[in-house]
Amino acid sequence: MANELDVFVGNTTLIDEEVYQLWLDGYSVSDAVNIRLKSGILDQTGAGPDVLESDTMDHYRTFQMLERLLHYPPKLVQQLLFQIPPHKQSMLIERYYAFDEAFVREVLGKKLSKGTKKDLDDISAKTGVTLKSCRRQFDNFKRVFKVVEEMRGALVENIQQNFLLSDRLARDYAAVVFFANSRFETGKRKLQYLTFEDFATCAEHLIQNWTLGAVDVAEDMDMDLDKEFLQDLKELKILITDKDLLDQHKSLVCTSLRGKISVFHEMEANFKMLSRALVNIGTSLTHNKDVRDFFIDLVEKFIEPCKAANWSASDVQLFLTQYTASARALDAFKQQSLWERYMGTLRSCLMKMYHN
């Protein structure tokens, strides 16, 4: 009697997403096996501990072989050795380049060099992110930076094209790269209340409005601040050095805000101090140190005084909106387009940063 036997042969690479995450998180094989044991996987499958360990080791070996391809994602997509469906390829890439908020907050604005890499032990201990995962995340930041630093065109698009990341993750990497390039200070105590998302939003506004790429996307880069624009900001000083202009500006703002904000009297009494702070932050940006201290200056010179006077976020928004708009009505103030480019971005950053 002849027996019929169906045979199926396939070479699709099996990817267990939970094991992949354990590998990305920096767990050893034995730690990963213990975590899988606690999840009750043996009860679900009926397999023994030896099979689980062998399965985990097989996955880890696969991930280690894939890692060199993940360093340059287009190679993963183009290669034929590992048969991985497109949606799985996207998952592998996206998760490999994902990062921990606690980790990125520690390295944001620092130089992506060996010096910073030596601090990863301390960062790992502080954040609870495994050292192996810290190294992967740091190396990813450094790799992306190296690939896009000399590229012309839009920073987010360059990252997406070269690393095949989602739009959101590419924008986050653009923020990391931009901050590393300009070396913005983010680690001081008074900036600790700010999240990575706060800084990433500010980075997006700065990239879109204050970089060379904001002027000419085809020819210039989003990495570098537009030095000519920063130099031109000195022209805004007339708003605080010309007494007539300063008084007119104050009068226009007070007239438009009377009865509309709860801190009107405090705003009226401190208008000149606040106006000098807002203008001086911009006029000092020709010096590298002042660029690095940009976010410290926003907090010290504007946010802290407003918080001390119990301004609400809506008070700040109304004030900044009218402060910006009222300058348009000053006939003697000729720097309108420069003012709009400066204050539009400054206002967006301040509103994102104005919280507890």
Side-chain angles (χ1 to χ4, degrees):
M1 182 178 171
N3 289 323
E4 288 189 7
L5 183 66
D6 290 330
V7 176
F8 175 77
V9 178
N11 65 344
T12 301
T13 303
L14 297 175
I15 305 291
D16 185 307
E17 294 187 28
E18 289 181 10
V19 181
Y20 183 52
Q21 193 59 54
L22 293 170
W23 178 73
L24 289 174
D25 290 341
Y27 291 106
S28 65
V29 171
S30 59
D31 288 340
V33 169
N34 287 330
I35 291 169
R36 297 183 79 191
L37 277 170
K38 289 174 185 174
S39 73
I41 192 168
L42 296 188
D43 296 331
Q44 298 163 25
T45 61
D50 291 348
V51 174
L52 183 64
E53 184 173 4
S54 178
D55 179 66
T56 306
M57 287 178 69
D58 282 346
H59 281 301
Y60 267 51
R61 275 193 291 267
T62 300
F63 301 146
Q64 283 156 7
M65 288 188 285
L66 287 170
E67 187 163 25
R68 60 185 177 80
L69 297 169
L70 286 164
H71 288 172
Y72 302 98
K75 289 185 177 181
L76 176 67
V77 174
Q78 293 158 8
Q79 59 81 39
L80 301 173
L81 182 62
F82 299 97
Q83 298 298 306
I84 304 171
H87 73 281
K88 286 283 187 183
Q89 291 176 351
S90 297
M91 180 277 296
L92 288 169
I93 294 165
E94 194 77 1
R95 286 205 193 175
Y96 189 79
Y97 283 89
F99 50 78
D100 291 283
E101 167 105 13
F103 175 76
V104 72
R105 191 62 187 80
E106 290 297 316
V107 299
L108 190 66
K110 291 183 179 176
K111 197 171 181 179
L112 300 173
S113 63
K114 288 179 181 177
T116 304
K117 196 167 186 178
K118 287 177 183 175
D119 298 334
L120 294 185
D121 283 338
D122 295 335
I123 293 174
S124 173
K126 181 178 178 180
T127 61
V129 179
T130 66
L131 181 57
K132 193 172 180 182
S133 183
C134 285
R135 285 175 179 152
R136 172 181 58 81
Q137 294 177 52
F138 180 83
D139 288 342
N140 285 345
F141 293 153
K142 188 174 180 180
R143 188 181 312 108
V144 173
F145 183 92
K146 287 287 183 187
V147 168
V148 302
E149 67 175 325
E150 297 299 334
M151 285 186 172
R152 296 192 177 281
L155 183 56
V156 174
E157 287 177 21
N158 287 340
I159 292 170
Q160 280 185 298
Q161 287 170 9
N162 286 276
F163 292 92
L164 310 181
L165 305 181
S166 66
D167 182 69
R168 181 66 266 156
L169 190 55
R171 289 180 187 280
D172 286 344
Y173 266 85
V176 173
V177 166
F178 180 69
F179 267 68
N181 187 59
S182 295
R183 304 285 302 283
F184 289 111
E185 175 61 63
T186 68
K188 290 282 167 60
R189 178 180 287 182
K190 58 183 57 188
L191 299 179
Q192 290 303 305
Y193 80 97
L194 295 167
T195 65
F196 170 72
E197 198 262 333
D198 291 333
F199 283 120
T201 300
C202 292
E204 202 162 332
H205 289 297
L206 291 166
I207 289 168
Q208 288 173 356
N209 299 294
W210 286 10
T211 61
L212 289 166
V215 183
D216 189 342
V217 173
E219 290 299 318
D220 292 308
M221 298 178 288
D222 282 349
M223 290 274 283
D224 300 317
L225 290 167
D226 182 351
K227 286 188 167 53
E228 190 175 332
F229 162 69
L230 298 183
Q231 192 68 40
D232 290 345
L233 290 177
K234 288 186 177 296
E235 296 174 20
L236 300 180
K237 220 167 176 68
I238 190 172
L239 270 178
I240 54 174
T241 55
D242 185 310
K243 187 178 183 302
D244 290 340
L245 267 183
L246 183 59
D247 289 341
Q248 285 177 48
H249 196 189
K250 177 181 176 179
S251 175
L252 287 168
V253 173
C254 290
T255 300
S256 62
L257 289 180
R258 192 180 302 277
K260 292 180 182 175
I261 61 173
S262 60
V263 289
F264 179 81
H265 296 297
E266 291 87 345
M267 182 276 295
E268 187 177 34
N270 293 301
F271 178 87
K272 292 182 180 180
M273 177 197 76
L274 292 171
S275 186
R276 287 191 185 101
L278 291 168
V279 172
N280 283 332
I281 287 168
T283 58
S284 66
L285 290 175
T286 49
H287 306 292
N288 287 338
K289 185 187 182 301
D290 291 301
V291 170
R292 284 199 294 274
D293 289 345
F294 175 66
F295 292 98
I296 295 173
D297 287 343
L298 292 185
V299 170
E300 286 183 347
K301 296 177 180 178
F302 185 83
I303 291 173
E304 285 182 345
C306 289
K307 282 184 176 179
N310 296 314
W311 288 40
S312 68
S314 60
D315 289 334
V316 173
Q317 186 165 24
L318 277 167
F319 170 75
L320 290 173
T321 300
Q322 288 304 323
Y323 177 77
T324 305
S326 296
R328 298 183 199 127
L330 300 170
D331 293 334
F333 183 57
K334 306 300 182 186
Q335 294 79 11
Q336 297 293 345
S337 60
L338 181 67
W339 177 247
E340 293 294 336
R341 185 180 176 188
Y342 172 64
M343 279 305 300
T345 298
L346 199 74
R347 186 170 69 232
S348 297
C349 289
L350 285 168
M351 288 314 304
K352 188 64 186 175
M353 295 166 65
Y354 200 85
H355 60 81
N356 292 324

